Amino acid sequence: MNFILVALVVLIFAWYLSFSASRLDRLHHRVETSWEHLDALLQRRAALALEISHQVDLDPATDLILRQSAYVSREEAIVDRNDAERSLSESLTFLRDSAHNGEVSISVPLLDELTNLTEKINLAIAIHLEGVKSVAKLRSKFIYRLFHLAGKAKLPRIYSFEEDSL
Amino acid sequence: MSERTLRIGLVCPYGWDIPGGVQIHIRELAEHFIAQGHSVSVIAPVADDDLITDTWLVNAGRPVPIPFNGSVARVLFGPIASSRVRQWIAQSDFDVLHLHEPGIPSISLLACWAAEGAMVGTFHASTPKMRAIASVSPLIEPMIEKLSARIAVSEMAQATLNNLYGTEAVVIPNGIDCEKFGRAYREAKDKRDSRKNPTRIGFLGRFEETRKGLPLLIEALPKVIKVIPDLELVVAGPGDPEKILARLDPTLARHVKFLGRLSEIEKVDFLASIDLYLAPNTGGESFGIILAEAMASGTPVLASDIPAFVDLLAVGDCGETFTSEDPVALARSIIQLLKNPTRLQQLAENGVDSAIRFDWGSVASQIMSVYEVAMTGQGKVAVGSENASWKKGRDR
């Protein structure tokens, strides 16, 4: 009788571990896809910044910031891109405000795309950060650390440009 | 020195409210020229109009924080700023326009774009991030060519300029007021000799930035305290001390004191009150004005052997260096120096002598000579007629 009870407990525990591991795995996967989605949007933003730089009659300072950050955003790995993404967020926001105040004329399709893309990026960041935080929270739990349930998966990072945009 | 009085326009690219090396340099240069009888106007981004107390300061607009080179620069761009700068140039009738950091996307670049005539540019930064700049350097090059003369504040800044845009520049260091620092030192020296105090070593800078090197210093500290138990490390500069203290062993924390952000006057007193100034910076420094100030204060300097510091300290044996990013070497050097009062005294005396080359008296007259070269054959600085052409010729 006792033997069956112990076996049952072990079984339930094993099931719980496997359940926890797959739960974490699912979260990891979700964070990966949400990052891919966000990254694709950021690449589109960089392309748009270059497009604006080409089409709009900008002052040289604004133009340089746009081109320089767009270049870095498209060429570098994410760990080196944080500053550039922050610059793009700041300068494009500034540009959008200027356009709304009539200080600079950006064609309606470009401006619409910028507004549209900014909203999408903010949403994508919010979703991605939520995932990252859930992963971190889960992985910090005792049982997850004790049984190495995260395996070799890296703890996803939060970049400061993501925090800035919110 | 020039016989006639000039109308000088200085352009500051960074927000005036938070003082950094460039802002302080421009302020002191302006005050120096005004004292000599010249008429000076400075245009800078200012966040709050109420902070403008000087009649010679003109506000170009509210700065925008943009990250550059590991820290956040508060710059200004856009159409409104552009037209304010243009208006300022048109109304001021300058003999010479002095632009600081015209390669940084801010109002100096805008001024360079808008103006025609005698223009001088000063380059402060040395940038290791070449690739991003290289992507836009074809755009900046024609701007840099408009400058009649270029000044770099150090050999490092000169090398950067050469690498990026292939142009040469005159090296003129940043200025300091030697008399101010020397006076504070002599006053503090009497006090210091008369009381029995702990050995004080000092650090100044935004200590939360790793490149300023405080973590390295903290790592070296236990070894030094073992040999010199009454040691006190005084940390000055903006930042949150809790972030450092939280990671510190309590027995170690007793030896560390945080002063917070210092005013210019407090900085003078701070430098005069310490036995050794430490600059463990790991890089990203172009000049290191604080070392020159420590030297002028008669405070011996121990610095990491990054190129900017080696260049600065090499002249006249006025400081020692240790292998950058090596806490063991740092600890060893601190102990050796503090245990050798003769050497400290010698470094202090050499420093005071050597710092004279950074005194405004000499620095400002060199800058004036550059102005004279720039003004040769030029009329007044005017707003260019065809400068809507930033776009023209740029796209293939």
Side-chain angles (χ1 to χ4, degrees), chain A:
Chain A
M1 192 61 194
N2 266 351
F3 170 74
I4 295 175
L5 210 64
V6 169
L8 203 66
V9 167
V10 167
L11 220 71
I12 289 175
F13 188 67
W15 172 83
Y16 175 72
L17 276 188
S18 126
F19 164 79
S20 303
S22 62
R23 180 181 164 201
L24 184 61
D25 192 50
R26 201 165 51 234
L27 266 181
H28 270 293
H29 184 70
R30 203 178 89 197
V31 167
E32 266 168 41
T33 42
S34 66
W35 167 251
E36 269 164 32
H37 177 64
L38 174 57
D39 193 35
L41 288 173
L42 292 174
Q43 291 299 309
R44 268 177 64 190
R45 181 172 74 169
L48 181 68
L50 285 179
E51 187 64 27
I52 290 175
S53 152
H54 267 283
Q55 289 192 12
V56 182
D57 193 17
L58 294 171
D59 63 285
T62 314
D63 201 33
L64 278 190
I65 292 180
L66 287 184
R67 286 187 159 223
Q68 206 166 314
S69 356
Y71 175 87
V72 175
S73 169
R74 297 181 65 161
E75 298 290 322
E76 305 284 337
I78 178 62
V79 285
D80 300 318
R81 253 169 59 193
N82 190 37
D83 279 2
E85 299 297 351
R86 277 175 72 187
S87 298
L88 277 181
S89 302
E90 288 285 351
S91 53
L92 288 174
T93 307
F94 178 86
L95 210 57
R96 211 157 48 116
D97 293 347
S98 303
H100 285 311
N101 296 337
E103 294 157 13
V104 60
S105 65
I106 302 179
S107 69
V108 176
L110 271 185
L111 199 60
D112 283 351
E113 197 183 341
L114 178 59
T115 310
N116 197 352
L117 205 50
T118 310
E119 276 168 17
K120 277 185 180 165
I121 287 175
N122 286 344
L123 193 68
I125 286 177
I127 292 171
H128 177 64
L129 284 190
E130 193 272 322
V132 172
K133 280 172 189 157
S134 318
V135 169
K137 202 172 135 200
L138 210 54
R139 282 176 64 158
S140 68
K141 281 189 179 169
F142 178 69
I143 195 107
Y144 284 80
R145 281 184 301 171
L146 185 68
F147 289 94
H148 273 284
L149 293 186
K152 281 180 185 160
K154 276 191 185 147
L155 191 65
R157 259 183 80 167
I158 297 178
Y159 294 95
S160 73
F161 78 87
E162 299 173 322
E163 289 166 333
D164 282 359
S165 306
L166 294 177

Side-chain angles (χ1 to χ4, degrees), chain B residues 219-221 223-224 322 326-336:
Chain B
E219 214 181 317
L221 208 54
K223 287 191 192 64
V224 183
F322 69 94
D326 182 354
V328 181
L330 173 58
R332 197 169 48 226
S333 302
I334 296 177
I335 295 166
Q336 268 170 13

Side-chain angles (χ1 to χ4, degrees), chain B residues 214-396:
Chain B
L214 186 63
L216 204 68
L217 189 50
I218 300 256
E219 214 181 317
L221 208 54
K223 287 191 192 64
V224 183
I225 289 173
K226 231 180 255 171
V227 186
I228 307 166
D230 72 338
L231 187 88
E232 189 174 59
L233 168 63
V234 192
V235 179
D240 181 9
E242 285 308 317
K243 281 189 185 160
I244 306 286
L245 285 172
R247 277 177 283 152
L248 224 57
D249 190 276
T251 55
L252 210 57
R254 276 191 303 126
H255 295 268
V256 187
K257 200 169 130 193
F258 287 87
L259 299 182
R261 175 194 289 279
L262 300 185
S263 70
E264 276 298 295
I265 299 159
E266 288 166 336
K267 183 170 77 180
V268 174
D269 292 336
F270 162 72
L271 286 174
S273 74
I274 54 179
D275 300 297
L276 179 64
Y277 182 78
L278 292 157
N281 307 44
T282 57
E285 293 298 318
S286 163
F287 184 73
I289 189 89
I290 182 70
L291 296 195
E293 289 169 343
M295 279 154 58
S297 311
T299 305
V301 174
L302 174 62
S304 54
D305 61 355
I306 59 174
F309 291 170
V310 172
D311 287 350
L312 190 79
L313 297 174
V315 185
D317 183 33
C318 46
E320 293 213 342
T321 56
F322 69 94
T323 317
S324 182
E325 299 186 51
D326 182 354
V328 181
L330 173 58
R332 197 169 48 226
S333 302
I334 296 177
I335 295 166
Q336 268 170 13
L337 270 178
L338 289 178
K339 287 281 175 197
N340 188 349
T342 354
R343 178 67 180 144
L344 282 181
Q345 187 56 35
Q346 187 194 5
L347 285 179
E349 281 164 17
N350 292 351
V352 173
D353 289 344
S354 180
I356 289 178
R357 71 184 194 277
F358 303 114
D359 189 55
W360 274 116
S362 132
V363 169
S365 77
Q366 288 180 62
I367 293 176
M368 185 50 79
S369 310
V370 175
Y371 287 177
E372 277 158 11
V373 173
M375 287 184 303
T376 310
Q378 301 265 23
K380 294 275 185 182
V381 176
V383 173
S385 47
E386 33 76 68
N387 55 38
S389 61
W390 167 249
K391 289 265 139 178
K392 247 188 274 163
R394 190 194 79 181
D395 300 315
R396 63 242 88 150

Side-chain angles (χ1 to χ4, degrees), chain B residues 35-85:
Chain B
Q36 286 187 336
H38 299 291
S39 146
V40 180
S41 176
V42 176
I43 191 165
V46 188
D48 188 353
D49 265 321
D50 296 341
L51 294 170
I52 300 184
T53 48
D54 300 288
T55 49
W56 42 262
L57 184 63
V58 175
N59 189 359
R62 175 178 289 274
V64 182
I66 296 284
F68 277 114
N69 207 1
S71 48
V72 174
R74 294 163 67 257
V75 297
L76 180 60
F77 46 90
I80 297 284
S82 192
S83 66
R84 281 201 190 151
V85 168

